[in-house]
């Protein structure tokens, strides 16, 4: 597998998609992923859940303190002078969410006008990205414990609500449906189904929900920064390099770039992780990636779930990737690589609290 990735990365170096530094970085990344799968094995999931729980606790505390006392915002922000900032000024100028990274928390440079509707980014540069990883942690934790309202899940749910992410809330509905379908207790099934039916409309009508979803749909194919427009934008890129993709490297300008006035080689944020997989890998390997992702998830949860549950978990993970390019990030890639490096089910020894 590592030999294949090395050759594939070298192909992209030869095509001019990757620099020598980028090529080496990708090879080292996949060596690390294989190491995690072979050494940590199934413990990777429990470790991921613990790390996400800790990040959520920190995020809830900081978010809660700022909501209660906005003056604390400036005090916390002052700590940026003591830590190096790895985010470029160019990125901040083009970002819709210019913030300061404190490593364990990504804090908005200014209190937003919508305060106290203060979106919780956690350690990530975008609240929706934080929400995607929380949804995955929430789902996987439930598969291990089969408990809906244990301490970890309550922390995940509360933190997910503070992100105010429209895509995160939609994914949360899928998670609640999974809870309802898999629960053996009738009253829990009924309660969850009623909660979804009664709360869906008022939640959808929240300003950040309805406005965000409708604006993305109205943008159509002419805006690469919208979730639906990103699909058309990615399709143009795939058409130029359908077999090997770009592996996250430089992409040539296409008609949508020209239409939107993008500069040559300008990297555009096109937030749809489902279609971006085809840009990254090319069509043949993208199809294989989705197969391995399902198999990796199935292997990781097989001791705790039935096969139909694994399918639902897979759908939930895909829904979390619809608005974020997490499909080419280490967490999701590790799950896919797990299907290659492990061919038997392993018992999960530790239970989540």
């Amino acid at each position: 597998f590592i030999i294949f990735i090395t050759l594939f990365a070298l192909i992209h170096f030869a095509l001019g998609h990757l620099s020598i530094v980028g090529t080496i970085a990708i090879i080292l990344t996949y060596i690390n992923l294989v190491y995690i799968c072979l050494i940590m094995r199934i413990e990777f999931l429990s470790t991921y859940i613990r790390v996400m729980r800790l990040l959520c606790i920190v995020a809830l505390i900081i978010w809660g303190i700022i909501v209660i006392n906005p003056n604390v915002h400036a005090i916390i922000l002052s700590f940026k002078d003591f830590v190096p900032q790895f985010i470029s000024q160019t990125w901040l100028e083009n970002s819709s969410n210019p913030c300061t990274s404190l490593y364990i928390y990504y804090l908005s440079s200014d209190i937003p006008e919508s305060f106290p509707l203060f979106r919780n980014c956690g350690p990530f540069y975008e609240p929706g990205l934080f929400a995607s990883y929380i949804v995955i942690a929430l789902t996987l934790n439930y598969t291990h414990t089969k408990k809906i309202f244990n301490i970890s899940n309550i922390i995940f749910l509360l933190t997910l609500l503070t992100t105010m992410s429209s895509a995160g809330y939609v994914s949360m509905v899928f998670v609640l449906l999974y809870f309802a379908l898999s629960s053996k207790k009738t009253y829990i099934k009924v309660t969850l189904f009623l909660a979804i039916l009664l709360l869906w409309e008022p939640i959808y009508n929240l300003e950040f929900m309805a406005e965000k979803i409708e604006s993305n749909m109205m943008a159509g194919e002419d805006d690469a920064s919208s979730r639906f427009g990103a699909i058309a934008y990615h399709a143009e890129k795939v058409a130029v390099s359908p077999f090997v993709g770009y592996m996250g490297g430089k992409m040539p300008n296409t008609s949508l770039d020209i239409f939107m006035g993008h500069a040559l080689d300008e990297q555009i944020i096109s937030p749809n992780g489902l279609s971006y997989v085809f840009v990254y890998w090319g069509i043949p390997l993208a199809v294989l990636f989705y197969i391995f992702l399902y198999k990796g998830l199935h292997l990781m949860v097989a001791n705790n779930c039935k096969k139909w549950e694994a399918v639902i978990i897979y759908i939930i993970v895909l829904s979390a990737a619809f608005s974020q390019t997490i499909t080419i990030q280490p967490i999701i890639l590790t799950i896919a690589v797990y299907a290659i490096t492990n061919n038997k089910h392993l018992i999960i020894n530790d239970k989540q609290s």
Side-chain angles (χ1 to χ4, degrees):
F1 175 72
I2 293 299
I3 293 174
F4 172 78
I5 289 295
T6 301
L7 292 174
F8 196 65
L10 288 174
I11 289 172
H12 285 281
F13 172 70
L15 292 172
H17 299 158
L18 296 174
S19 65
I20 185 64
V21 174
T23 303
I24 294 172
I26 284 178
I27 294 170
L28 291 177
T29 296
Y30 281 91
I31 290 174
N32 186 48
L33 297 185
V34 171
Y35 172 82
I36 290 172
C37 292
L38 292 177
I39 304 301
M40 294 186 69
R41 300 172 76 85
I42 203 68
E43 295 299 323
F44 162 75
L45 275 191
S46 57
T47 302
Y48 169 67
I49 292 169
R50 290 194 203 100
V51 170
M52 283 303 302
R53 182 173 56 204
L54 176 61
L55 293 175
C56 286
I57 291 171
V58 172
L60 273 178
I61 291 173
I62 295 176
W63 181 86
I65 290 174
I66 294 175
V67 167
I68 294 171
N69 185 1
N71 295 325
V72 177
H73 178 273
I75 298 174
I76 298 176
L77 194 63
S78 66
F79 284 100
K80 72 177 183 179
D81 298 328
F82 301 97
V83 294
Q85 295 295 308
F86 297 108
I87 303 171
S88 69
Q89 189 62 35
T90 302
W91 190 93
L92 287 173
E93 290 173 356
N94 293 305
S95 173
S96 60
N97 189 38
C99 297
T100 298
S101 174
L102 301 176
Y103 297 2
I104 59 171
Y105 197 79
Y106 198 77
L107 190 64
S108 174
S109 301
D110 300 299
I111 295 179
E113 295 179 1
S114 58
F115 190 83
L117 290 180
F118 172 55
R119 298 187 68 189
N120 194 347
C121 288
F124 300 96
Y125 65 84
E126 210 274 325
L129 185 58
F130 190 25
S132 294
Y133 285 119
I134 293 172
V135 165
I136 295 171
L138 173 64
T139 307
L140 295 177
N141 188 58
Y142 173 76
T143 64
H144 293 349
T145 63
K146 294 299 181 182
K147 295 177 181 178
I148 297 175
F149 297 112
N150 65 353
I151 295 174
S152 293
N153 282 353
I154 291 172
I155 292 171
F156 290 143
L157 284 168
L158 288 176
T159 312
L160 180 59
L161 291 175
T162 64
T163 64
M164 300 174 200
S165 165
S166 54
Y169 281 24
V170 172
S171 294
M172 184 172 65
V173 172
F174 288 123
V175 175
L176 294 177
L177 282 172
Y178 168 48
F179 289 174
L181 291 172
S182 61
S183 176
K184 296 180 180 178
K185 298 178 180 179
T186 304
Y187 76 93
I188 291 180
K189 289 179 180 288
V190 174
T191 301
L192 287 173
F193 278 125
L194 285 176
I196 292 170
L197 290 173
L198 295 175
L199 295 177
W200 171 249
E201 185 174 356
I203 290 176
Y204 178 79
N205 287 329
L206 290 171
E207 183 178 350
F208 68 88
M209 281 287 289
E211 183 179 333
K212 184 72 171 288
I213 294 173
E214 289 170 7
S215 65
N216 270 272
M217 294 181 70
M218 290 177 64
E221 299 180 357
D222 298 331
D223 185 0
S225 64
S226 74
R227 275 58 177 171
F228 299 100
I231 298 175
Y233 183 70
H234 293 159
E236 286 191 349
K237 303 301 182 185
V238 172
V240 177
S241 181
F243 298 110
V244 296
Y246 302 92
M247 214 172 191
K250 293 181 180 179
M251 300 182 289
N253 276 25
T254 50
S255 60
L256 265 177
D257 290 299
I258 297 171
F259 176 79
M260 297 182 68
H262 298 158
L264 186 64
D265 294 331
E266 181 181 356
Q267 296 298 305
I268 304 303
I269 298 175
S270 47
N272 190 311
L274 300 183
S275 56
Y276 187 71
V277 170
F278 293 90
V279 178
Y280 187 92
W281 291 109
I283 296 173
L285 289 182
V287 173
L288 283 177
F289 165 82
Y290 280 117
I291 294 172
F292 287 135
L293 179 59
Y294 170 74
K295 288 187 175 181
L297 277 170
H298 190 202
L299 281 171
M300 286 181 167
V301 304
N303 292 295
N304 302 77
C305 299
K306 298 176 182 177
K307 190 171 183 179
W308 67 267
E309 291 183 70
V311 174
I312 293 180
I313 295 168
Y314 183 62
I315 293 172
I316 291 172
V317 171
L318 295 184
S319 73
F322 179 74
S323 64
Q324 303 292 332
T325 53
I326 60 172
T327 42
I328 51 102
Q329 298 302 321
I331 297 299
I332 301 300
L333 288 174
T334 300
I335 297 174
V337 172
Y338 187 84
I340 300 171
T341 58
N342 296 273
N343 57 9
K344 61 180 180 179
H345 300 166
L346 300 173
I347 297 174
I348 300 169
N349 295 316
D350 63 323
K351 293 288 185 179
Q352 304 302 315
S353 60

